[in-house]
Amino acid sequence: MGRLIAALGLLLAVVWQAAAWPLPFGAGTGNRVAPGAGSFPRWHALALATDAPIKWLVALPPRRLAAVDRDGAFLVFEVAPAAVRLIARYGGVASPDGPPVAVRLDQEQTGVVLVAPDGRLLVWGDGVLRSYDVGGPLSPLTFPAPVAVEGRASSDLLAVTQDGAVVLIGGLAAGNPRALARVDVRALHDARITIADLDGDGASEAVVLADAAPPGAPGGRQAATSLAVIRVRPYGLDLRTRLTLTSPAAFDARAAVLAPIGASARPAVLTVRTTPGQGGALVAFALRESGLALVAEGPAPQADRFTHLIAATDLSGDGVPEIVAVVAPHADGALTAYRRAGGALNAVASVAGFASHAADSRNEEQALIADLDGDGRPEVVLPRQAREVLVALEVRGERFAERWAIDFKSPLSSNLVAADLDGDGLLDLAVAVRRGLHVFLSVR
């Protein structure tokens, strides 16, 4: 009976994570694909002015949103059918570079974790914000990633420390979070940890970008030269493998996306590789006994053209996943869908004129994939180049077709959130612009 209860608890935790959209970029795999369906463009629009532009949003069930604004204020909003209202505000407590994350605090309670500017862990629950030293300062340029552990009522957390280690944090349910294990991998300070079962053995692996490239690396951003794969155990972490590129190549991304790219349901490790004289090319790796093996790669764009990987999912409805990226999001912004053919990732549809985030911003989450119009085929949702008009596009054959658009007449300031925000079972959308928070509720 005890094993049955533990297994049920793990199942509930996994289901809750999928439904709660706990990370700004989707599930813990980093794949920006929201489950469910909506009724767009039939929606009920709500808006609320804010003191400062919101940088980060995350769904906090039931019927709440958590946020961090430009000045580091932590905010909690309640979503009602007729209005959105602010129910809690804590000024200047949070790092504006790391978003809030929804987590399970115990069997019944959800809460929020985030990082303070000094590296302390902040936990919000029961209407109270608490601060903890977990055994060393966490990086304020990123955020903890929740991981479900069998037999535990609360989520555990994986986090990057200020000295580049990855730590496993437990004890949320007891109100005493602390680091249970640590592995030194020289992680990028702004790396996002992604988590999945990469080899189908039932255990989770965490992937993190590590080893900063030397100054002058391609892309003009902080880049990594290695991918570290860490085995997650209930009370420990083990470095399973590390893939290191030969200089001067580098990985130009903050997070690896872990998602299937072919007939197998086993996730691939997707990221972007750059080399001097070439732009960022999509690459896909599979976890083998010998380590990470390159299984497919896309064409390299022109030099200095950054490729921003968004997600991988079946856009066309034929059961074959497409990989979605925006090439040169700060120039002509070519939204492109790729498919795997053997060892190649080939472009199958592309349209110019879109962005996925603001230049020089650590918030690269202004694009996602969701079936917000409820027609059974997911849309890629992202802004046009000026980031004032949000557009949803579906793949139709070899082209993208626009399904709906929202003109805010003001640039987006936050990531996008697609989740059931009002508890009616339909997908809703939340986003902030410089003038305030906007929530679009699907209607039956």
Side-chain angles (χ1 to χ4, degrees):
M1 179 62 72
R3 290 183 179 177
L4 177 61
I5 292 173
L8 180 59
L10 177 60
L11 176 62
L12 289 174
V14 171
V15 170
W16 176 84
Q17 284 196 3
W21 195 256
L23 304 181
F25 53 78
T29 61
N31 204 22
R32 302 172 177 89
V33 182
S39 66
F40 285 34
R42 294 187 300 115
W43 60 58
H44 179 49
L46 307 175
L48 180 68
T50 54
D51 293 336
I54 291 173
K55 290 190 66 174
W56 300 100
L57 282 170
V58 68
L60 178 60
R63 301 178 181 86
R64 289 179 177 177
L65 284 163
V68 172
D69 73 15
R70 177 191 59 193
D71 300 327
F74 170 61
L75 314 165
V76 181
F77 300 94
E78 184 177 71
V79 180
V84 178
R85 66 185 186 96
L86 179 67
I87 62 172
R89 184 183 187 278
Y90 305 86
V93 298
S95 166
D97 292 312
V101 178
V103 297
R104 174 69 70 185
L105 297 180
D106 54 36
Q107 288 284 14
E108 299 180 353
Q109 184 184 10
T110 58
V112 178
V113 297
L114 59 167
V115 179
D118 64 359
R120 292 173 67 87
L121 179 70
L122 302 177
V123 181
W124 185 84
D126 283 330
V128 178
L129 182 69
R130 298 176 174 88
S131 175
Y132 300 94
D133 180 352
V134 296
L138 305 178
S139 171
L141 303 183
T142 184
F143 55 91
V147 56
V149 177
E150 186 174 357
R152 293 186 192 167
S154 65
S155 302
D156 281 356
L157 305 172
L158 291 176
V160 175
T161 66
Q162 289 188 14
D163 60 359
V166 171
V167 293
L168 176 66
I169 300 170
L172 287 180
N176 182 32
R178 64 195 185 282
L180 305 175
R182 169 189 172 101
V183 59
D184 294 298
V185 294
R186 303 183 299 276
L188 297 187
H189 290 163
D190 60 354
R192 279 76 164 114
I193 299 169
T194 48
I195 307 162
D197 178 4
L198 295 178
D199 56 6
D201 66 355
S204 294
E205 283 82 26
V207 180
V208 64
L209 289 138
D211 294 312
R221 298 151 30 94
Q222 185 183 31
T225 58
S226 71
L227 280 171
V229 180
I230 301 165
R231 172 61 62 89
V232 182
R233 296 184 286 106
Y235 291 96
L237 301 172
D238 301 305
L239 179 61
R240 177 161 180 181
T241 190
R242 181 194 293 266
L243 184 148
T244 301
L245 295 176
T246 302
S247 180
F251 293 117
D252 196 1
R254 290 190 170 94
V257 171
L258 313 180
I261 59 171
S264 172
R266 187 172 298 177
V269 178
L270 296 165
T271 187
V272 176
R273 183 188 61 205
T274 61
T275 53
Q278 296 181 337
L282 295 175
V283 286
F285 299 93
L287 183 61
R288 313 288 194 211
E289 285 296 327
S290 58
L292 287 173
L294 180 67
V295 294
E297 58 184 308
Q302 299 174 3
D304 300 324
R305 289 170 67 86
F306 167 53
T307 296
H308 185 210
L309 171 63
I310 305 301
T313 194
D314 178 14
L315 294 178
S316 53
D318 62 0
V320 179
E322 283 86 12
I323 301 169
V324 179
V326 180
V327 181
H330 312 312
D332 53 352
L335 172 64
T336 307
Y338 300 82
R339 278 195 175 190
R340 181 183 181 184
L345 300 175
N346 299 322
V348 294
S350 186
V351 62
F354 296 91
S356 53
H357 59 283
D360 301 321
S361 172
R362 284 195 169 86
N363 187 339
E364 298 180 354
E365 315 304 332
Q366 292 182 345
L368 55 75
I369 297 177
D371 183 15
L372 280 164
D373 63 4
D375 69 349
R377 301 177 65 173
E379 307 104 73
V380 182
V381 183
L382 77 173
R384 298 195 190 278
Q385 275 284 292
R387 297 186 306 106
E388 295 185 350
V389 180
L390 193 63
V391 182
L393 303 107
E394 286 183 1
V395 169
R396 299 289 181 86
E398 297 181 355
R399 66 184 183 89
F400 282 98
E402 182 175 316
R403 294 289 295 164
W404 50 266
I406 305 171
D407 187 354
F408 293 102
K409 304 188 186 312
S410 179
L412 273 61
S413 65
S414 78
N415 59 291
L416 307 182
V417 170
D420 179 9
L421 300 177
D422 59 358
D424 66 353
L426 296 176
L427 270 184
D428 308 306
L429 179 70
V431 64
V433 299
R434 292 177 183 174
R435 299 174 181 174
L437 172 63
H438 292 265
V439 175
F440 298 86
L441 302 177
S442 289
V443 296
R444 293 192 180 276

